[in-house]
Amino acid sequence: QASSVPAVVVVATIVAMTSAPSVGSASAVFLHLATLREDVENTEARARALWDGAAFVGELEPEVELNVGGDPGFVLTRDQFESLPGTLLEALVSGRWESLVLRDAEGRIFIDVDPVQFRAILDWIFATKQCASVHDMPPSPAEWIAEPHRWGLDQLISLLGLEGREELSPSKCQVRVDMDDGKAYTLKELLAKYMDTGIYTAEEVRDYWFQDMHPTNQEDLTSEETEHEQVPSLAKCTPDMQLASLLEEHVKSVVAEGRDLQERLRKAEEDEQQFHFEKEGLQLLFGGSSEQDIVRFNANGRVMATTRATLTHFESSMLARWFGGDWSLQESELVRGAVRIKQDSECFTSVLQILRVHRLFGPSAIPSGFPCRRERMKALQQALSYYHMELAKGKGKGKSALGQRVAQRTGSTNVGTGRHEW
């Protein structure tokens, strides 16, 4: 707390404390620093142990092939999301979670989400990288994609760690400090400054903005300057100039150490939180741990796939009984290894999406709107009745702690606002 108090007040406090040893004495301050230092070292050690334990040892291919909900047409590069550190997309292709990934029979990483939604997110990220100005940023795909695929897209964007990312939707009023001259610039102002030289491209300037410049706000700059100006000269507050100087240096040293320890603790706690966010988030996306957990379907000629965890989410449904027990498929029920489905592909895609959204986010975060075209609602309701999916009663198995946090973070305005409950 001392970091927000003018130095002269801290000096007066230290003088008072040293003159009357008590619970609030100087010795208590140093005891607090020692305790904080131990806490920092323990937290840093825990964070290192977590990441070291998950580290992958071996050769990594430069490309990452994905099977997204049965669509194998995704090939990403390891460095594709370096500009989005801390997101599940960056974690997915980074290689640090190779021991955790779910792979299909051809060795592709399988993630159990809607492939149309996933492709729209990739296109959105690519489009933002091409923009030279914040004013040209494309809107989130949740704002323009057709309704059946919009259903649950906001929640998926949040789960991936993309919600509110400055790189995708930066604040137009935010400024950053340019280390070159120490001045604050908006992205538009920075582009004008450096592109006029003809030396840098728009992409290079954007990379510099996002990766090297420190974000702040004009209000913060004004506040810091005002606070600095309001700190009175220590010389005016004490008759003994030499003693005041020594005290001031001592207080500065103590405050600086406290700030450094607090910053180290914050970073270590963030490392721990990031580890659990990535691990739990990827486990949700995968929905399984072995090839046997992946189930392929052929609905009227269209191949799609999901996981047994998704299919068995509603315990009383026919899908849960078929794929959660010892029931075995007959050869006549398969088409090249995919389960033959007698519903049309559009309808069964909506069934799978309803199951996925429930498994990932739980019933409290179910989106408003429709998981299929409105003219197909009757057919979808018939399919849900056929599969005995008691969705409105919320009889799913619940969700992980991460799913609960995502639901709380994304869905308060969406929950329960739709015409139907799924």
Side-chain angles (χ1 to χ4, degrees):
Q1 298 296 329
S3 61
S4 61
V5 181
V8 63
V9 178
V10 179
V11 170
T13 302
I14 294 291
V15 171
M17 289 191 301
T18 53
S19 61
S22 64
V23 174
S25 66
S27 60
V29 173
F30 292 112
L31 177 61
H32 171 72
L33 282 178
T35 303
L36 179 60
R37 192 179 301 111
E38 182 179 3
D39 191 18
V40 168
E41 292 171 354
N42 290 337
T43 306
E44 288 177 336
R46 285 199 310 270
R48 280 195 304 270
L50 287 173
W51 287 107
D52 289 346
F56 175 74
V57 179
E59 294 286 333
L60 291 173
E61 295 292 332
E63 293 84 25
V64 182
E65 295 185 65
L66 299 182
N67 179 340
V68 182
D71 184 346
F74 295 85
V75 181
L76 307 177
T77 58
R78 295 285 180 189
D79 61 353
Q80 190 157 343
F81 303 110
E82 283 184 348
S83 61
L84 292 170
T87 65
L88 290 188
L89 288 176
E90 187 271 336
L92 180 67
V93 302
S94 67
R96 58 179 174 268
W97 293 103
E98 287 297 304
S99 60
L100 188 69
V101 298
L102 172 63
R103 296 186 182 275
D104 65 13
E106 286 71 36
R108 293 179 291 248
I109 295 178
F110 182 88
I111 58 174
D112 192 13
V113 300
D114 179 0
V116 176
Q117 290 185 345
F118 191 75
R119 194 174 297 281
I121 290 172
L122 295 184
D123 288 342
W124 173 42
I125 294 171
F126 176 80
T128 58
K129 291 183 178 180
Q130 311 309 306
C131 296
S133 168
V134 63
H135 301 285
D136 299 328
M137 290 286 193
S140 163
E143 298 180 28
W144 55 261
I145 201 168
E147 185 168 51
H149 300 294
R150 187 187 312 139
W151 198 79
L153 182 54
D154 276 328
Q155 282 88 341
L156 179 59
I157 288 172
S158 180
L159 175 63
L160 294 173
L162 301 174
E163 183 183 36
R165 290 290 300 213
E166 180 195 346
E167 300 90 334
L168 301 174
S169 55
S171 169
K172 297 179 181 179
C173 64
Q174 188 186 59
V175 296
R176 291 178 176 242
V177 177
D178 186 357
M179 295 180 291
D180 179 57
D181 56 15
K183 296 181 179 179
Y185 295 89
T186 64
L187 178 58
K188 184 177 180 180
E189 292 169 342
L190 192 74
L191 286 164
K193 172 185 175 181
Y194 284 110
M195 290 186 67
D196 286 345
T197 66
I199 300 175
Y200 303 100
T201 65
E203 186 173 0
E204 289 173 332
V205 176
R206 281 175 53 79
D207 287 343
Y208 176 56
W209 166 273
F210 288 121
Q211 298 176 18
D212 299 316
M213 293 177 66
H214 300 294
T216 185
N217 289 299
Q218 292 288 7
E219 295 82 0
D220 296 335
L221 294 174
T222 304
S223 175
E224 289 176 6
E225 292 172 358
T226 303
E227 181 180 339
H228 179 72
E229 292 170 358
Q230 291 176 345
V231 176
S233 170
L234 195 61
K236 298 178 182 179
C237 302
T238 176
D240 191 332
M241 300 292 291
Q242 186 175 8
L243 177 60
S245 178
L246 290 172
L247 283 171
E248 184 177 15
E249 290 300 317
H250 185 63
V251 168
K252 284 181 179 179
S253 175
V254 172
V255 170
E257 183 180 6
R259 286 174 177 168
D260 178 65
L261 289 172
Q262 290 286 359
E263 179 64 14
R264 285 173 57 190
L265 181 61
R266 181 189 66 80
K267 289 181 177 179
E269 289 174 341
E270 285 183 352
D271 283 346
E272 279 191 291
Q273 293 169 2
Q274 183 64 26
F275 175 89
H276 294 296
F277 167 74
E278 290 187 11
K279 182 177 180 179
E280 294 176 24
L282 290 176
Q283 286 175 329
L284 273 177
L285 288 180
F286 298 147
S289 57
S290 69
E291 180 190 332
Q292 288 69 38
D293 293 326
I294 303 171
V295 181
R296 296 168 61 242
F297 293 95
N298 185 315
N300 197 27
R302 179 181 173 185
V303 176
M304 56 194 78
T306 187
T307 61
R308 293 183 185 274
T310 295
L311 294 169
T312 60
H313 185 73
F314 288 94
E315 296 176 330
S316 61
S317 71
M318 286 180 62
L319 292 171
R321 292 198 295 273
W322 290 349
F323 298 100
D326 299 327
W327 179 70
S328 58
L329 292 163
Q330 304 299 314
E331 191 65 31
S332 60
E333 297 175 298
L334 301 175
V335 180
R336 294 191 177 183
V339 181
R340 189 194 302 271
I341 293 297
K342 295 181 180 180
Q343 278 81 32
D344 65 89
S345 62
E346 180 181 358
C347 189
F348 193 68
T349 295
S350 297
V351 171
L352 292 186
Q353 181 64 357
I354 291 170
L355 285 167
R356 285 170 177 147
V357 168
H358 269 265
R359 182 180 69 82
L360 290 171
F361 311 113
S364 64
I366 299 306
S368 60
F370 299 86
C372 69
R373 290 185 295 128
R374 298 187 186 217
E375 54 267 33
R376 298 293 298 163
M377 281 296 303
K378 185 175 181 180
L380 175 58
Q381 289 170 340
Q382 290 173 344
L384 295 177
S385 177
Y386 173 77
Y387 290 120
H388 299 174
M389 290 170 59
E390 298 178 83
L391 300 170
K393 296 181 180 179
K395 291 189 177 180
K397 295 180 182 177
K399 53 187 174 178
S400 72
L402 180 67
Q404 294 177 20
R405 292 198 294 271
V406 170
Q408 294 168 359
R409 191 167 67 239
T410 63
S412 59
T413 59
N414 291 334
V415 175
T417 60
R419 180 179 173 186
H420 297 275
E421 296 212 4
W422 302 100

